[in-house]
Amino acid sequence: MAYQEQVTAQRRETIPPHVPADRVVELDYFSPPGVTEDPHLAWKSLHDGPDIIYTPYYGGHWIMTRADDMFAVMQDYETFSNWEFTVPPRGPDSPVLMPNQLDPPRHGPIRSVVLRPMSPKAVAPIEPVIRKIMADRIASIVPKGGCEFVSEFGGNIPPELFFEHARIPKDKLPEMKRYADTVARSDSHEERVAARIGGANYMMAILEERRQVEDLDDDVFSVIIQAEREGRITKEESTSIALNVFFGGLETVSSALAFIVLFLARNPEHRRQLIEDGSLTQDATEEFLRRFGILNLARIATRPTTFKGVRIEQGEQVLLPLHLAGLDERKFPNPLEVDFQRKRAGHFNFGTGPHRCLGSNLARPEIRIFIEEWLRQIPDFSVDPDDKPVGASGVAMTMTRVPLVWPSR
């Protein structure tokens, strides 16, 4: 048997008898057909079939393809727990991520620990820092007349900004970025576990440094230690919360920037709109987040249930492609079109319900400021005609390669 066939056989499971044959789709969500050319179009093809499908890959799991169904599942935490929020399940050897893995009522008190340092009020003062870092990095690549955006800019800036916001040393940034990439897109359970453990070890070191500080500051890791000192959380919970904040802070923005810059490289008319009317940038940010969603999150059934006529057994996972919700024509007319004047109907790029991502308050200004600064310094650019972009799927959708060129100065 060829190697790829062996891998495929290991990923598949026998289809349970309660799964109707017309719901079964042979879909490996790490590599849907066409993903390298266009990740979102590769997933959009699922809208041609049933609203709820089942794939035998990675232990077997259900996939919701429509926005309203995803919303219903995310709201019903009593039936669909967040304890296993990735496919396949993390397993007992992987560090716990709090508050992400917790359900109400335990979720709320843990989440409250990091509400203040991740709030819009806390993020607003660092916007000038974000702008300066963005502007300086863009200026450094302008004379080159082109770049591979992901490796030379987009994959590095959001992690650097997170480290800046969290006030932690940047010497480990490349290593931690590799951990985040592995967790988001590796289809190897062993690699993902090792990356989570590596991240947890670093978080424990950072937290231990904070424990030695008598007068703590107001950054997110200091706030976690303060909650520990007050007895609101345990030492183990501190590490878990810090690890959750870290992984949540690195991946989404990097992927969003790659999709956005690729779109703008291919669509000069949209670039012109943003250059001529700067007031559009905030609405453009939301429209880009809708059109180019990122996350594939999961829930696990706590009890047998029937959802829209489909029997889901206890212990079965349900995958929620939040990026596909933004492409649902039942919710967004002409969903593949990017329209900066589109009436906002709410997207799920940062989740919804109790587990809405706290990092969204940092992600939004990062994306907005990037658009403003990039177009200010590089208003005219395109995809390198001698190279091609490459997309990828996984827990986080992304472009792994975006080659760009622009007129030399």
Side-chain angles (χ1 to χ4, degrees):
M1 182 183 293
Y3 172 74
Q4 187 58 45
E5 292 173 334
Q6 289 177 338
V7 172
T8 300
Q10 291 168 0
R11 291 172 175 169
R12 295 184 80 263
E13 295 286 339
T14 302
I15 299 168
H18 68 280
V19 177
D22 64 353
R23 299 284 181 158
V24 177
V25 175
E26 292 279 342
L27 178 70
D28 178 347
Y29 88 100
F30 283 93
S31 55
V35 69
T36 57
E37 290 78 20
D38 189 319
H40 292 92
L41 288 185
W43 278 88
K44 175 64 176 168
S45 63
L46 293 182
H47 282 159
D48 296 334
D51 291 357
I52 305 172
I53 60 175
Y54 185 92
T55 176
Y57 284 81
Y58 304 104
H61 56 275
W62 297 94
I63 301 176
M64 302 286 174
T65 70
R66 294 294 178 174
D68 286 347
D69 296 339
M70 294 184 216
F71 181 82
V73 168
M74 286 188 283
Q75 294 294 318
D76 186 5
Y77 57 85
E78 292 183 343
T79 305
F80 299 101
S81 171
N82 212 57
W83 181 248
E84 293 291 358
F85 64 91
T86 60
V87 170
R90 300 170 309 101
D93 50 352
S94 188
V96 174
L97 298 179
M98 295 184 181
N100 206 27
Q101 286 185 244
L102 304 180
D103 298 306
R106 192 180 177 205
H107 168 268
I110 296 294
R111 179 183 170 93
S112 69
V113 170
V114 289
L115 275 176
R116 179 168 55 83
M118 301 301 289
S119 68
K121 183 178 180 180
V123 169
I126 71 163
E127 284 201 19
V129 177
I130 296 173
R131 189 173 297 278
K132 185 177 189 314
I133 291 175
M134 289 276 192
D136 289 350
R137 298 299 184 276
I138 295 169
S140 71
I141 63 173
V142 168
K144 297 172 61 175
C147 73
E148 195 294 290
F149 180 82
V150 177
S151 61
E152 298 182 49
F153 186 92
N156 302 317
I157 289 296
E160 181 177 346
L161 292 172
F162 174 78
F163 273 51
E164 186 81 29
H165 179 57
R167 299 175 194 170
I168 53 180
K170 297 177 184 176
D171 58 312
K172 295 286 187 181
L173 198 154
E175 182 180 3
M176 299 304 285
K177 180 66 170 63
R178 286 196 297 272
Y179 289 151
D181 289 343
T182 299
V183 169
R185 276 176 294 283
S186 174
D187 59 3
S188 165
H189 173 73
E190 292 74 16
E191 289 180 358
R192 288 195 304 276
V193 169
R196 290 189 181 110
I197 292 174
N201 289 337
Y202 182 65
M203 291 300 105
M204 284 190 285
I206 293 296
L207 292 172
E208 190 57 40
E209 290 179 2
R210 291 292 197 279
R211 291 188 182 99
Q212 309 311 312
V213 177
E214 184 174 347
D215 297 320
L216 291 167
D217 210 329
D218 59 355
D219 64 273
V220 64
F221 291 100
S222 295
V223 168
I224 291 172
I225 293 302
Q226 184 61 42
E228 183 184 306
R229 289 177 178 176
E230 294 169 357
R232 296 164 57 196
I233 55 176
T234 66
K235 189 173 183 178
E236 292 73 22
E237 288 171 339
S238 293
T239 302
S240 180
I241 296 168
L243 189 61
N244 196 150
V245 170
F246 163 72
F247 280 128
L250 293 194
E251 190 57 44
T252 305
V253 177
S254 294
S255 298
L257 296 188
F259 285 121
I260 290 168
V261 80
L262 177 59
F263 176 85
L264 291 174
R266 289 170 166 168
N267 294 272
E269 176 60 25
H270 286 77
R271 292 202 306 270
R272 185 188 63 77
Q273 290 180 45
L274 293 171
I275 291 169
E276 293 182 356
D277 185 356
S279 68
L280 287 176
T281 310
Q282 188 164 331
D283 288 335
T285 297
E286 296 305 313
E287 177 67 348
F288 283 136
L289 286 168
R290 176 204 66 81
R291 173 59 178 83
F292 301 107
I294 307 298
L295 297 175
N296 284 301
L297 298 182
R299 298 292 188 268
I300 187 165
T302 62
R303 57 196 178 195
T305 187
T306 299
F307 188 96
K308 290 183 66 173
V310 171
R311 182 68 174 177
I312 299 174
E313 296 292 348
Q314 180 178 347
E316 290 184 336
Q317 284 194 284
V318 177
L319 187 67
L320 309 175
L322 302 187
H323 53 89
L324 200 54
L327 302 180
D328 188 348
E329 64 277 359
R330 298 176 189 172
K331 188 174 181 66
F332 301 99
N334 304 312
L336 295 177
E337 295 182 9
V338 172
D339 180 1
F340 299 149
Q341 280 80 35
R342 183 186 295 272
K343 182 180 179 181
R344 292 190 190 180
H347 58 76
F348 297 160
N349 214 10
F350 297 113
T352 189
H355 288 281
R356 185 181 177 279
C357 177
L358 284 170
S360 63
N361 296 324
L362 181 59
R364 282 188 165 97
E366 288 181 6
I367 293 170
R368 172 177 51 79
I369 291 170
F370 163 76
I371 294 170
E372 293 169 352
E373 289 300 320
W374 184 275
L375 292 179
R376 182 177 66 82
Q377 297 193 53
I378 312 177
D380 182 19
F381 62 102
S382 60
V383 176
D384 187 340
D386 297 322
D387 206 339
K388 66 178 182 179
V390 179
S393 183
V395 177
M397 304 264 282
T398 195
M399 299 301 299
T400 60
R401 184 171 181 80
V402 182
L404 302 174
V405 293
W406 52 82
S408 300
R409 295 184 184 177

